[in-house]
Amino acid sequence: MKKNLGLFLAIILVQIAPFISAADTLHPLIYKIDIKKEISNTTRLYLSNGLAEAYALGADAVLIHMNTYGGQVDAADSMRTAILYNPIPVYVFIDNNAASAGALISIACKKIYMRKGANIGAATVVNPTGEAMPDKYQSYMRSMMRSTAEAHGQDTIVQKNDTLYKWKRDPLIAEAMVDERVAIPNLIDTGKVLTFTAQEAQKWGYCNGIAENPDEVITQYLGYKDYKMKSYIPSWQDDLKGFLMNPIFQSILIIIIIGGIYFEMQTPGLGFPSAASLLAAILYFAPLYIDGLAANWEILVFIIGILLLAVEIFIIPGFGVAGISGIILIIGGLVMGLLNNDHFDFEGVSGKEIGKATLTVLVGLVTGFSLMIWLSNKIGHRGMFRKVALNTDLENAISSPDLSSLVGKEGTAATVLRPSGKVSVDGVFYDGISESGFIEKGGKVKVVRFENAQVYVENL
């Protein structure tokens, strides 16, 4: 009896399965992406991954649930481009704030919906202290805001025998959100940066409806009465990768890379600077490689540069072709790792992206070199390391050889001194440190003092 009942149920399920599947497809899928923090590479990853998943699932529409005071312009530019060219229509619900970079992203969306009391605008580019940046930065932001508004096109209006064309989103209004010099009759005078309330935005074509929540937007404005919703859930990898790709953190990693190389040149064989430099290089390239920006050959260029510099430090005396080539390749690898180029084809890379990548690397390099020069007297044989070495060597102080008899004697540099290395005095080799800077191998030196079983020499 039970066997017959089971067979009967199986037949029923097979018969109704196609209808269940068909009914399921009748429910449109709305994909929701929350942008509720500062606009950065992290939120850029949220949007990019969310749009990709929405496309893979065959979503009917994407709704961005936004509440942000703005953030990085370059990340916002990437996000607004992704929205403008996304094959699935993207809408935005502004839940309180869409300021600065958030306004740019919102204007890129097909339709804008706002909660009562929400605001959009105030897109002036500012520095970390909140002060307006020079006009060259404002000029680019004005252009992006204007072109984003223009991308939505114009409506054709026929009045009697006249045909009029009206922007769906007036580009001049978008520009007024950036530039206080823009005046629009009956809206804003010069001297003020434009920010809309929900009602004002609706009146001037920058809001397509006022709603209290995403469900109201979907049902009343988008017209999906019976729908399914899926939300993008960020992973810890998104947050970590976004943090590692922050330009400020990338500059810090470059400082550590340069610092490690510098201190390894000063004290060859120390180990810790090399390890710090290697770890910083891995943290720099890993997220770029995963994100598809850094290719294998770009990482290889960086590694070859490091090897050439190592050859210059440990094998070839002086500073010549290998060292200069190594520095050029290191800088080239760091810069190109930030650019989305196909080998050496930069056709799809904008001048702004090249400038940003170059600036990020140069800031790290200049800061790194400046910091290392300043710290060379603080963290070296005269600074921290000396103090640590003194504390470490106290136990061995009694057994340390007395080298006072060598003071005043002359010898030769058995190796290159950069400034440390080996010196030969009376045919005996000692650990030596130059107090005259770089000394070539074979150079004549004079012992001026000794300390911790090391002789300090000057160039003759």
Side-chain angles (χ1 to χ4, degrees), residues 52-329:
E53 185 174 0
Y55 181 79
L57 293 173
D60 295 271
V62 174
L63 179 65
I64 296 175
H65 192 171
M66 177 176 289
N67 184 13
T68 181
Y69 288 104
Q72 299 173 12
V73 176
D74 55 334
D77 184 19
S78 177
M79 293 170 73
R80 67 114 189 181
T81 303
I83 291 170
L84 286 173
Y85 297 103
N86 193 60
I88 302 172
V90 181
Y91 306 91
V92 63
F93 171 59
I94 299 174
D95 194 347
N96 294 331
N97 296 293
S100 191
L104 176 63
I105 296 167
S106 298
I107 295 172
C109 294
K110 184 178 180 65
K111 296 286 180 67
I112 300 173
Y113 303 97
M114 301 175 69
R115 182 196 291 271
K116 287 181 181 178
N119 300 280
I120 180 174
T124 303
V125 183
V126 297
N127 61 22
T129 64
E131 297 179 355
M133 296 288 283
D135 189 63
K136 65 178 181 179
Y137 298 96
Q138 311 303 340
S139 175
Y140 191 81
M141 188 64 173
R142 287 196 301 268
S143 174
M144 279 199 298
M145 293 285 284
R146 190 170 58 247
S147 64
T148 304
E150 290 175 351
H152 295 283
Q154 297 174 310
D155 289 324
T156 303
I157 302 173
V158 179
Q159 292 182 347
K160 297 182 179 179
N161 295 326
D162 296 329
T163 301
L164 304 177
Y165 300 95
K166 180 183 177 182
W167 289 108
K168 292 180 180 179
R169 291 183 188 149
D170 189 342
L172 190 61
I173 290 178
E175 191 173 345
M177 293 181 181
V178 180
D179 195 342
E180 62 181 10
R181 296 171 298 183
V182 176
I184 300 175
N186 303 319
L187 177 59
I188 191 168
D189 295 326
T190 58
K192 297 179 181 180
V193 175
L194 179 61
T195 300
F196 276 138
T197 65
Q199 286 77 12
E200 290 170 341
Q202 190 173 30
K203 175 182 176 181
W204 291 90
Y206 273 75
C207 174
N208 298 94
I210 297 176
E212 286 301 310
N213 51 59
D215 178 71
E216 189 174 334
V217 171
I218 295 168
T219 56
Q220 293 191 18
Y221 292 106
L222 301 186
Y224 297 109
K225 301 299 181 182
D226 189 11
Y227 66 92
K228 296 186 302 178
M229 177 182 285
K230 179 173 177 57
S231 298
Y232 177 73
I233 302 175
S235 65
W236 65 267
Q237 292 97 330
D238 292 335
D239 293 327
L240 177 61
K241 191 162 71 166
F243 173 75
L244 293 177
M245 294 178 69
N246 184 290
I248 296 176
F249 187 72
Q250 287 174 329
S251 294
I252 293 174
L253 291 176
I254 293 172
I255 291 174
I256 297 174
I257 293 171
I258 298 303
I261 295 173
Y262 177 83
F263 280 118
E264 194 62 45
M265 291 174 64
Q266 295 294 310
T267 54
L270 188 60
F272 174 75
S274 298
S277 184
L278 177 62
L279 178 60
I282 292 173
L283 292 177
Y284 180 87
F285 281 107
L288 299 175
Y289 182 81
I290 295 173
D291 205 43
L293 290 176
N296 293 329
W297 68 271
E298 291 167 339
I299 300 175
L300 183 61
V301 166
F302 175 80
I303 294 174
I304 293 174
I306 292 291
L307 293 176
L308 286 174
L309 201 57
V311 168
E312 188 70 35
I313 294 172
F314 299 108
I315 300 176
I316 305 174
F319 196 78
V321 176
I324 295 174
S325 300
I327 291 174
I328 292 174
L329 291 178

